[in-house]
Amino acid sequence: MREHLKDEGVQEFGLDSIIEFASDHDDGGALLQDRAAKCVVLAIEAHPEAYNVSWKGCVAVQTMCRKLSLSSELGKAQALGALKQVYEDYKDDREVRQQAVWALGALTNVPANVSRLLAAEAYTVVCIGVSQLPRRASRNICTATKASLGAR
């Protein structure tokens, strides 16, 4: 994937492969050794306008986060910033935005990623996501989210 970063098709196929490989077929060792976390982040960042790359990048993050070691590596590879950017880039696409929110949530299974989430100010994505709730409930959820993230 790194050698053909500008080729959208290669990135999409690579993400498909990572999703499949991370789906409980391995303990994560091969993906760690191959630095798959960085490949996912680079693919997302290289093709921000490519729906399939963005969507599959989010799914790859969710799938990889089933293993704590991979979740930690995704955090180190700056997946949080890439996912936040996907969320912001796809303002009119609820499907991709939902995938980004789920991927951000999946990354919180590692305490260091929660700190990274706060540093990237990605917790605001959660507040935006609940903004359709009645005004009072929305404000309470956002306040509670910030408080609970800060307490970790």
Side-chain angles (χ1 to χ4, degrees), residues 2 29 49 54 56-57 63 72 79 89-90 95 120-121 126 137 139 151:
R2 282 187 214 118
E49 75 294 338
S54 295
K56 290 178 181 183
T63 307
S72 178
D89 288 347
Y90 284 85
E95 283 185 19
E121 295 185 4
V126 176
R139 192 174 327 118

Side-chain angles (χ1 to χ4, degrees), residues 108-128:
T108 63
N109 63 349
V110 174
N113 286 346
V114 175
S115 298
R116 292 178 182 115
L117 183 77
L118 290 168
E121 295 185 4
Y123 63 85
T124 57
V125 170
V126 176
C127 291
I128 293 167

